[in-house]
Amino acid sequence: MKLDKIIKEIEDQKKLPNLNFSIKEKTEAFTKKLFYTLFDKQTPVKDNLMELGMDFEVLAKLVCWEPGSPCQDIWSEYLNKLPGILKKLNLDAEAIFKNDPAANSVEEVYLSYPGFFAIATYRLSHEFYKFGLPLVPRLMTECAHSITGTDINPGAKIGNSFFIDHATGVVIGETAIIEDNVKLYQGVTLGALTVNKTLKNIKRHPTIKKNVTIYANATILGGETVIGENSVIGGNVWLTKSVPKNSMVSHTPQINIKNNSDK
C-alpha cells in the first residue's frame, strides 16, 4: 500500500474534531501546579494562582466545544472554593497520620501516601465537576488513578477526614456517598450492580455512613445499599444489601493448614 493511501485512510478514521490529546497533558500539568500552590511551602501562592488562571483559560477553550458550556466564569468561583478544599485536605492528612502507626509525620503523608494523593486530586476535581466543567475533572482523577491505582470518580460525595490505607485497587463510583471519618483499605470497591447507559442519572453506588471501616478487597454494590454508621466490613466481603449501624460483617473462608513434617 502506498504511503499517500495509508495517510488518507488514517485521516479518514480521525472523525472526532475535538479529540485533542494536549487536553490530557495540560490537565496533568494544571493538577500538579495546583498541588504545589496548595501544599509546597516554597511555592509563591499569588504568582501560581495567576499562572493557574491563565492555564485554566487555555483548558476551558479546549474542552468547552459545546455551545453555551459554562466554562469562562468558573475559575473565579473555583478560587473562592480553594481555601475550603485545602481545609478538608488538611483534615484528611491529619486523619491518616492519626490512624496509621506507620506514618512518622504529617509531611510524610502529604509527600508519600498514594491514598492522600488520590483523595486530594478527587477533592480538587469534585468542585469542577459540580460546576459542570466537561472532561477536566475526569482527567484529573484519571491522573491520580494512573499513578496510585485508586479510581475515585469526581462525582462521588465524600465527607471530612477520609482515609484510604495503601490505596491500590480502590474503586469509588460516581454516585457513591461517603460520610465523615470513613476508613478504606486496599482493593475496596464501591460500585454499581449493573452497567447500563439508561442508569446515568440514577444513584448506582452505595452510601457509607459515618465512622465506617471497610477492610481489604471488600465489594459493596448498589445505589440502595447503605452501610450504617460505626460498622466494620471485613476483608473479601461481598455486599449488595444494606447493613444496620454498629454492625460487624465478616467473610469466613475455610482454611486448611497441613504440616509437612507430620508425614
Side-chain angles (χ1 to χ4, degrees):
M1 188 181 296
K2 293 183 178 180
L3 180 58
D4 57 349
K5 187 175 181 181
I6 293 171
I7 293 170
K8 186 177 186 309
E9 288 194 7
I10 291 173
E11 289 178 342
D12 287 345
Q13 291 295 322
K14 297 172 74 171
K15 298 178 180 179
L16 297 172
N18 300 308
L19 181 53
N20 184 339
F21 277 86
S22 71
I23 296 171
K24 184 176 181 180
E25 295 165 357
K26 291 180 187 301
T27 299
E28 290 172 354
F30 177 81
T31 304
K32 183 177 181 179
K33 190 174 288 185
L34 262 178
F35 262 77
Y36 272 76
T37 304
L38 293 178
F39 302 120
D40 182 59
K41 189 66 175 178
Q42 309 305 315
T43 297
V45 175
K46 182 178 179 180
D47 292 347
N48 259 40
L49 286 179
M50 291 179 65
E51 291 177 13
L52 282 165
M54 292 184 287
D55 293 343
F56 180 81
E57 186 176 348
V58 173
L59 264 179
K61 289 178 180 177
L62 288 171
V63 301
C64 293
W65 56 76
E66 295 290 341
S69 294
C71 290
Q72 301 305 320
D73 299 328
I74 287 177
W75 179 247
S76 59
E77 296 183 56
Y78 185 78
L79 272 180
N80 290 327
K81 300 284 186 180
L82 276 179
I85 297 172
L86 181 55
K87 184 176 181 179
K88 285 190 173 186
L89 291 175
N90 288 334
L91 289 174
D92 296 326
E94 287 288 342
I96 294 170
F97 175 63
K98 289 177 181 178
N99 282 282
D100 188 358
N104 297 304
S105 67
V106 181
E107 288 86 352
E108 183 178 318
V109 171
Y110 285 102
L111 290 169
S112 69
Y113 272 59
F116 177 76
F117 181 74
I119 294 166
T121 306
Y122 153 77
R123 293 206 189 280
L124 291 168
S125 67
H126 179 64
E127 293 301 327
F128 282 133
Y129 177 94
K130 286 163 59 178
F131 283 133
L133 179 67
L135 196 53
V136 170
R138 186 59 185 268
L139 287 175
M140 290 174 72
T141 54
E142 281 305 309
C143 175
H145 185 194
S146 66
I147 293 171
T148 68
T150 296
D151 184 3
I152 308 177
N153 190 285
K157 297 177 181 178
I158 300 177
N160 294 330
S161 301
F162 185 42
F163 178 19
I164 307 177
D165 200 5
H166 304 296
T168 306
V170 170
V171 176
I172 300 173
E174 180 182 29
T175 62
I177 298 174
I178 300 173
E179 295 187 356
D180 297 344
N181 302 308
V182 169
K183 183 177 181 180
L184 308 185
Y185 284 81
Q186 70 272 17
V188 168
T189 296
L190 305 180
L193 275 169
T194 58
V195 178
N196 190 311
K197 199 67 174 178
T198 61
L199 301 175
K200 179 173 177 56
N201 297 314
I202 295 174
K203 189 176 186 305
R204 310 180 299 281
H205 307 94
T207 295
I208 313 299
K209 293 291 189 175
K210 294 178 181 178
N211 307 315
V212 169
T213 297
I214 305 175
Y215 282 98
N217 301 313
T219 298
I220 303 173
L221 306 178
E224 296 182 0
T225 303
V226 178
I227 306 303
E229 62 186 46
N230 306 314
S231 293
V232 176
I233 309 301
N236 299 307
V237 163
W238 177 281
L239 278 176
T240 58
K241 294 182 179 179
S242 295
V243 169
K245 64 181 181 179
N246 304 314
S247 295
M248 171 77 75
V249 182
S250 62
H251 168 72
T252 307
Q254 182 176 347
I255 299 174
N256 297 314
I257 301 175
K258 181 179 180 181
N259 192 328
N260 289 330
S261 64
D262 293 337
K263 290 181 179 179

